[in-house]
Amino acid sequence: QSSDYQVREQGEAQSMGYRAFLVGANGKTLSPWHDVPLKSPLGGGEIFHFVVEIPKESSAKMEVATDEPFTPIKQDIKKGKLRFYPYNIRWNYGLLPQTWEDPNHANPEVEGALGDNDPVDVVEIGERRAGLGEILRVKPVAVLAMIDEGELDWKVIAISVDDPKAALVNDESDVEYYFPGTLTEIRDWFRDYKVPDGKPQNRFGLGNKAAGKDYALKVIQETHQAWVKLVTRSVPAGDLSL
């Protein structure tokens, strides 16, 4: 349960020194990437934990520091400056714990693109704005295969099980029906967000559209297996903190 965890902030918000650490019920510091279980014990195997890095309607580019002990959430830095999106993100955004996109794995279904060396990203479409570091139970309903400068960067689209529409939304066709236009909006947002910085648009595999729930579950399973290999040291960790 998300109530088993608390967020301990260190440093000023929107500063280089800011860190948000995850703390367990016993007061012990935990890694939001490694120590939160991927699967929720409730939900028959298709409900997952989602760690919020960027609350909806905000623009600070917050992310888990994969190379720091306990992998706290910090604001990304580019060219010595704190990074912001050019416009607010309209959904809760974050990661699936205990997943990893292996940078040495070329995906034959997505142009042979290599993983981006991060946990899998989640776009949560529910109505409530979640808090930074909050852990939600979500069900995946679709997935986009974003290709960012040649790297494969999956975007799992999910809905919080506590959302009023959660029971109605089980696959990408339900998203279209109950949240019309949202899948296209998510794809276009991620396609274009780097363009104001003079970068090219991101591209998408799998026919440039969202694949359904079953494909999302397959991606989660494969990237969880990659994480298991990482933490059992059967593949080199590089700079990543385990």
Side-chain angles (χ1 to χ4, degrees):
Q1 281 295 341
S2 59
S3 54
D4 295 344
Y5 304 96
Q6 285 183 312
V7 176
R8 188 183 80 238
E9 295 180 291
Q10 187 181 297
E12 288 292 311
Q14 297 189 4
S15 76
M16 304 245 182
Y18 176 84
R19 297 291 183 276
F21 289 90
L22 195 63
V23 180
N26 57 2
K28 220 169 123 185
T29 304
L30 301 171
S31 162
W33 180 18
H34 300 308
D35 295 326
V36 177
L38 171 61
K39 287 194 172 181
S40 165
L42 311 164
E46 293 187 359
I47 306 293
F48 299 87
H49 288 126
F50 156 57
V51 181
V52 179
E53 293 169 300
I54 306 176
K56 72 191 283 183
E57 297 306 341
S58 64
S59 66
K61 177 79 176 77
M62 309 301 293
E63 60 182 26
V64 157
T66 55
D67 57 350
E68 295 183 12
F70 297 109
T71 66
I73 297 170
K74 65 165 191 177
Q75 191 164 350
D76 191 25
I77 295 167
K78 205 143 216 178
K79 295 181 182 160
K81 289 191 173 154
L82 292 168
R83 208 170 142 208
F84 292 87
Y85 288 130
Y87 29 72
N88 283 354
I89 190 162
R90 299 189 194 118
W91 311 275
N92 294 309
Y93 185 55
L95 66 96
L96 283 175
Q98 300 187 347
T99 61
W100 180 54
E101 300 186 43
D102 182 348
N104 297 304
H105 173 68
N107 191 304
E109 294 176 20
V110 191
E111 302 177 19
L114 300 168
D116 74 348
N117 202 28
D118 279 324
V120 171
D121 296 323
V122 176
V123 183
E124 193 277 315
I125 61 174
E127 64 178 29
R128 185 175 77 84
R129 181 180 194 259
L132 182 137
E134 192 174 339
I135 295 165
L136 304 183
R137 293 187 306 119
V138 299
K139 57 181 187 181
V141 290
V143 65
L144 284 161
M146 187 171 101
I147 303 168
D148 179 356
E149 296 178 34
E151 292 181 335
L152 179 54
D153 186 1
W154 292 109
K155 306 292 179 197
V156 169
I157 296 155
I159 187 165
S160 166
V161 296
D162 297 324
D163 190 81
K165 289 182 180 164
L168 302 169
V169 179
N170 296 296
D171 210 331
E172 85 280 15
S173 56
D174 299 330
V175 180
E176 284 297 2
Y177 187 81
Y178 292 103
F179 295 85
T182 294
L183 293 175
T184 302
E185 201 182 334
I186 291 170
R187 185 200 61 199
D188 292 356
W189 196 96
F190 282 100
R191 183 189 66 197
D192 296 337
Y193 79 93
K194 289 186 172 177
V195 172
D197 293 335
K199 292 265 185 79
Q201 288 182 324
N202 288 319
R203 296 185 306 112
F204 293 86
L206 305 180
N208 197 35
K209 58 184 196 290
K213 178 188 82 170
D214 290 343
Y215 203 98
L217 293 173
K218 176 175 103 105
V219 167
I220 293 168
Q221 179 61 26
E222 287 172 358
T223 53
H224 176 62
Q225 292 306 324
W227 174 85
V228 169
K229 286 183 184 159
L230 176 68
V231 292
T232 55
R233 313 294 201 277
S234 56
V235 292
D239 294 332
L240 299 171
S241 172
L242 304 183

